[in-house]
Amino acid sequence: MAVLDVKDIRKSFGQTEVLRGISLSLEQGQVLSVIGSSGSGKTTLLRCLNFLETPDAGVISVNGEVLFDAADPATRREADIRRKRLHFGLVFQSFNLFPQYTALENVLLAGKLLAKEDPGWRSSRRETLSQLEEQARDLLERIGLADRMDNYPHQLSGGQQQRVAIARALALRPDILCFDEPTSALDPELTQGVLRVIRSLAEARTTMIIVTHEMAFARDVSSQVLFMDGGLVVEQGPPEQVFGAPVQERTRQFLDSYRQS
């Protein structure tokens, strides 16, 4: 059974059709890299998967459960959106850390808020907080920030802030971890540190969707590559096929433009 199954997702903003029928499937432990020019719909696809945007049509299923079906009003209830988002972790381009919290507190925050909604919160508060903090410390150590846990975002480099954002997304143990151009705001030296963390997650068989402009990285780390253009999937396949022997002329044009830049 696929971890993620997406069928015919469509999304328009006004008269502009941004997604024109996107379908994809992802197995446990796979890494899907989504590539394409600016405006091709890559970020909108991620936002639909994370329920930050509501698709106009299509079906989204995770682990066999239909989370969204545009034809079924019961799957569109706003009250269920938070639960559905827990299946996905999203790392944004611009970190989106809370400046008033330390790195450790940023990673802890979502877990603490969810724990407080549990009816047994009062009786298990101390034990739950201890477990959450231990997990957050382990995550920060795993991504190389053991000595930066008590630092505030302004005391961290851009690369370190992005790694905190990755730890925060991992803290809720999502089924699928999504990245939206995770290195676009970083200089080349800091980019490499973030890519090393993502590579280590891939080696640990974390299921991921990565929207990226890092073509060499996508070729190296992906199980599948999806090339989007004009809101459509133009080509999809293993990285050696998409990068080494693309079938579609539009894919070849796109890759040639990157090689020449």
Side-chain angles (χ1 to χ4, degrees), residues 45-82:
L45 173 61
L46 278 192
R47 290 179 63 82
C48 285
L49 293 178
N50 283 268
F51 300 100
L52 298 175
E53 300 286 355
T54 302
D56 301 321
V59 179
I60 301 170
S61 302
V62 174
N63 294 324
E65 177 190 357
V66 175
L67 301 186
F68 176 85
D69 183 346
D72 182 0
T75 67
R76 300 171 64 107
R77 290 192 295 258
E78 286 293 326
D80 296 332
I81 292 298
R82 179 183 292 186

Side-chain angles (χ1 to χ4, degrees), residues 191-206:
T191 290
Q192 294 309 308
V194 172
L195 294 182
R196 279 195 295 271
V197 170
I198 299 174
R199 190 187 306 278
S200 71
L201 293 172
E203 291 170 350
R205 295 192 56 76
T206 303

Side-chain angles (χ1 to χ4, degrees), residues 6 12 109 125 158 175 233:
V6 175
S12 295
L109 185 60
R125 180 177 182 276
D175 294 295
V233 175

Side-chain angles (χ1 to χ4, degrees), residues 158-198:
Q160 290 169 336
Q161 290 185 60
Q162 191 61 295
R163 283 186 276 162
V164 173
I166 293 171
R168 179 179 61 185
L170 286 169
L172 295 178
R173 300 179 182 178
D175 294 295
I176 303 141
L177 184 59
C178 302
F179 294 87
D180 185 13
E181 298 280 13
T183 61
S184 64
L186 305 177
D187 63 40
E189 185 175 2
L190 297 178
T191 290
Q192 294 309 308
V194 172
L195 294 182
R196 279 195 295 271
V197 170
I198 299 174

Side-chain angles (χ1 to χ4, degrees), residues 69-195:
D69 183 346
D72 182 0
T75 67
R76 300 171 64 107
R77 290 192 295 258
E78 286 293 326
D80 296 332
I81 292 298
R82 179 183 292 186
R83 177 186 63 83
K84 293 175 180 180
R85 283 183 184 146
L86 293 177
H87 291 282
F88 300 87
L90 179 57
V91 179
F92 298 90
Q93 296 180 28
S94 55
F95 323 140
N96 288 5
L97 300 180
F98 292 100
Q100 70 271 36
Y101 297 130
T102 65
L104 180 63
E105 290 167 339
N106 265 281
V107 177
L108 273 169
L109 185 60
K112 288 170 66 174
L113 291 174
L114 283 174
K116 288 179 181 179
E117 296 180 0
D118 191 303
W121 163 250
R122 290 184 179 276
S123 61
S124 63
R125 180 177 182 276
R126 182 174 298 179
E127 181 182 355
T128 299
L129 288 177
S130 177
Q131 291 173 348
L132 288 173
E133 181 168 338
E134 181 180 1
Q135 175 188 316
R137 289 182 179 278
D138 285 345
L139 284 170
L140 287 168
E141 183 173 351
R142 178 179 171 187
I143 62 171
L145 292 178
D147 58 343
R148 294 287 188 268
M149 295 188 190
D150 297 323
N151 287 50
Y152 290 88
H154 76 273
Q155 297 171 316
L156 301 172
S157 71
Q160 290 169 336
Q161 290 185 60
Q162 191 61 295
R163 283 186 276 162
V164 173
I166 293 171
R168 179 179 61 185
L170 286 169
L172 295 178
R173 300 179 182 178
D175 294 295
I176 303 141
L177 184 59
C178 302
F179 294 87
D180 185 13
E181 298 280 13
T183 61
S184 64
L186 305 177
D187 63 40
E189 185 175 2
L190 297 178
T191 290
Q192 294 309 308
V194 172
L195 294 182

